[in-house]
């Protein structure tokens, strides 16, 4: 190939890469505005795990504040790795990374088991390194994620997040005297209404920033009615760099590592689902290599995070909903959000400003966000072929199975701990069931028939061939009447009268 052709090919390749929706570049102002919107959306979720784990470990408020700052700092670094990407690490998709809820109960159990926070950090390091080694296995399952599986998982992600939004709307703290009060729910409803009204505005910029603007306006409303407290913003350090191993060196305990490895498997499953979900929403190609790169970034971030006093990292499903509702698909917007998280981790005073956003405001926005995730999954399921197959029962059983831990959180309390850890997540439950049923019905076809169950028979209407023979060209139905090509009504006799003739 001559030099001119090589240059042309290189230019074509570069153009093809830039044509990806996620590679869109916006102005600096827009990039950081949308990035800050991502930070607000996930802020409540990323600070909840360190609050819970720190309290379980009996830490002081100052030490818990250190944990929160560390989680923000590491989450920002992990987000930039995932979105910008380096060779073999990072999916280059608009995915926000943060501390996973999947491991909170396991970490609390490790703390209560006598190992303390050091054993938690040690188990996270060891289990994440094992997870890093097995990511090639997970990256090969892309062919087992057709729309019937991805649509089911995306729908379940949205549905399983709704209790989070409802809890936020009620106030977030069940022990608070005003939890579930009309004031909290009213503030959430007002925020939700603002989101909807701003989404209807003709300006595309305002519509895309509807979540951020609604949170700002919701916070102002809360301040007017005395429901927002900014008094603590000025208390504490202004700048603080996370001190490596601030709570001592990690402790490696076999039982804790095994328990955490189960959490890592759940995290890999959820992150795979989130990568596929955001790929579907963005409208870009997601193959096994891209999933592998994303999972490796997940595991590398998780393995390094205990160095800075943080925990396992995974993609945040609620931010997938933000991508869907705003239509802003640029990964660089999320990278900007990651940079903001890093700054928040270094500047606790800014973190305290964001923390001052009332929880009901987050709840009102969350209802729309998380519902959008479910709607995106339903849109994917609309593309699925349901004729003469078992896809309908795959969807029905998988979503139903995924809703069990949401409808009955204590359902798996009597099961072995490892089983409960995996299936207590509605997302993991639905993903496992959808994958297994898809394998059973669509890949292992031995014994299949065209009409395997009543679900198949009931998926479409049937018209008898002899009935069609009675119709002429131009016949049509209007308002429940059969009209011929000349516009005249054709009388329809009941089957009883027809048999008398």
């Amino acid at each position: 190939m001559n030099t001119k052709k090589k240059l042309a090919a290189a230019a074509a390749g570069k153009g093809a890469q830039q044509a990806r929706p996620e590679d869109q570049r916006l102005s600096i102002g827009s990039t950081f505005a949308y990035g800050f919107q991502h930070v607000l959306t996930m802020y409540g979720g990323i600070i909840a795990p360190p609050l819970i784990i720190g309290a379980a470990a009996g830490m002081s408020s100052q030490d818990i504040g250190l944990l929160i700052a560390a989680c923000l700092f590491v989450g920002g670094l992990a987000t930039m790795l995932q979105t910008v990407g380096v060779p073999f690490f990072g999916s280059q998709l608009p995915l926000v990374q943060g501390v996973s809820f999947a491991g909170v109960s396991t970490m609390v159990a490790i703390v209560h088991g006598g190992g303390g926070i050091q054993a938690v950090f040690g188990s996270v390091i060891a289990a994440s390194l094992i997870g890093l080694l097995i990511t090639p296995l997970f990256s090969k399952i892309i062919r087992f994620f057709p729309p019937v599986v991805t649509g089911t998982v995306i729908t379940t992600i949205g549905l399983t997040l709704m209790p989070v939004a409802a809890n936020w709307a009620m106030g977030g703290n069940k022990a608070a005297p005003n939890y579930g009060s009309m004031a909290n729910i009213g503030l959430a409803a007002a925020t939700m209404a603002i989101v909807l009204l701003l989404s209807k505005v003709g300006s595309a910029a305002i519509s895309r920033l509807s979540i951020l603007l609604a949170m700002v306006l919701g916070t102002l409303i809360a301040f007017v009615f005395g429901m927002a407290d900014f008094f603590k913003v000025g208390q504490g350090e202004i700048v603080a760099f996370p001190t490596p191993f601030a709570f001592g060196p990690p402790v490696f305990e076999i039982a804790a590592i095994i328990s955490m490895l189960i959490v890592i498997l759940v995290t890999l499953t959820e992150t795979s689902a989130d990568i596929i979900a955001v790929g579907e929403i963005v409208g870009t190609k997601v193959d096994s290599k891209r999933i592998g790169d994303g999972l490796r970034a997940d595991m590398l971030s998780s393995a390094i995070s205990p160095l800075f006093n943080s925990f396992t990292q995974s993609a945040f499903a609620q931010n997938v909903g933000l991508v869907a509702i705003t239509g802003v698909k640029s990964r660089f917007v999320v990278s900007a959000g990651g940079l903001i998280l890093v700054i928040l981790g270094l500047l606790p005073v800014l973190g305290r400003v964001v923390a001052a956003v009332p929880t009901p405001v987050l709840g009102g926005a969350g209802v729309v966000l998380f519902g959008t995730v479910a709607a995106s999954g339903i849109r994917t399921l609309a593309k699925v072929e349901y004729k003469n197959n078992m896809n309908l029962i795959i969807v029905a059983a998988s979503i139903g199975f995924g809703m069990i831990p949401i409808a009955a959180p204590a359902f798996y309390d009597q099961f072995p701990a490892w089983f409960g850890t995996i299936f207590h997540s509605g997302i993991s439950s639905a993903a496992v069931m959808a994958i297994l049923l898809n394998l059973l019905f669509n890949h292992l076809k031995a014994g299949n028939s065209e009409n395997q169950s009543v679900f198949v028979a009931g998926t479409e209407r049937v018209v008898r061939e002899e009935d069609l023979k009675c119709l002429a060209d131009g016949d049509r139905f209007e308002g429940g009447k059969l009209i011929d090509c000349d516009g005249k009504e054709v009388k329809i006799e009941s089957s009883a009268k027809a048999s008398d003739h």
Side-chain angles (χ1 to χ4, degrees), residues 58-295:
M59 292 183 175
S60 65
S61 58
Q62 184 178 359
D63 286 340
I64 292 177
L66 191 156
L67 279 183
I68 292 174
C71 290
L72 293 171
F73 179 76
V74 174
L77 293 178
T79 298
M80 288 191 287
L81 175 63
Q82 187 71 267
T83 54
V84 177
V86 297
F88 305 109
F89 294 93
S91 64
Q92 294 188 337
L93 286 168
L95 286 170
V96 176
Q97 301 289 116
V99 178
S100 172
F101 267 104
V104 170
S105 59
T106 300
M107 294 179 199
V108 170
I110 294 172
V111 168
H112 288 163
I117 195 70
Q118 292 169 284
V120 171
F121 291 144
S123 65
V124 170
I125 292 172
S128 300
L129 290 175
I130 296 173
L132 185 61
L133 294 176
I134 64 175
T135 49
L137 173 64
F138 272 79
S139 64
K140 299 297 182 184
I141 65 174
I142 183 65
R143 69 188 187 93
F144 299 118
F145 280 82
V148 68
V149 173
T150 58
T152 297
V153 173
I154 297 169
T155 302
T156 306
I157 289 173
L159 295 176
T160 56
L161 287 171
M162 291 310 297
V164 176
N167 181 54
W168 286 348
M170 297 174 74
N173 181 10
K174 295 182 179 180
N178 65 339
Y179 182 77
S181 66
M182 287 303 298
N184 284 343
I185 295 176
L187 179 58
T191 304
M192 179 178 172
I194 293 171
V195 172
L196 298 177
L197 290 174
L198 292 178
S199 299
K200 186 178 174 61
V201 173
S203 171
I206 293 178
S207 180
R208 288 179 172 182
L209 284 172
S210 59
I211 298 296
L212 174 59
L213 295 175
M215 287 183 179
V216 172
L217 294 175
T219 302
L220 290 176
I221 293 172
F223 182 75
V224 170
F225 287 95
M227 298 175 65
D229 182 14
F230 293 93
F231 178 73
K232 296 180 180 179
V233 169
Q235 298 179 354
E237 296 179 312
I238 296 177
V239 179
F241 187 87
T243 304
F245 297 129
F247 302 99
V251 174
F252 300 93
E253 297 180 351
I254 297 298
I257 292 172
I258 293 174
S259 298
M260 191 56 61
L261 183 58
I262 297 173
V263 172
I264 289 298
L265 294 176
V266 173
T267 301
L268 287 170
T269 303
E270 291 188 348
T271 299
S272 297
D274 287 333
I275 290 173
I276 292 169
V278 79
E280 182 77 23
I281 292 170
V282 169
T284 192
K285 181 181 179 182
V286 173
D287 53 17
S288 60
K289 178 183 181 301
R290 207 163 191 185
I291 293 177
D293 290 347
L295 295 179

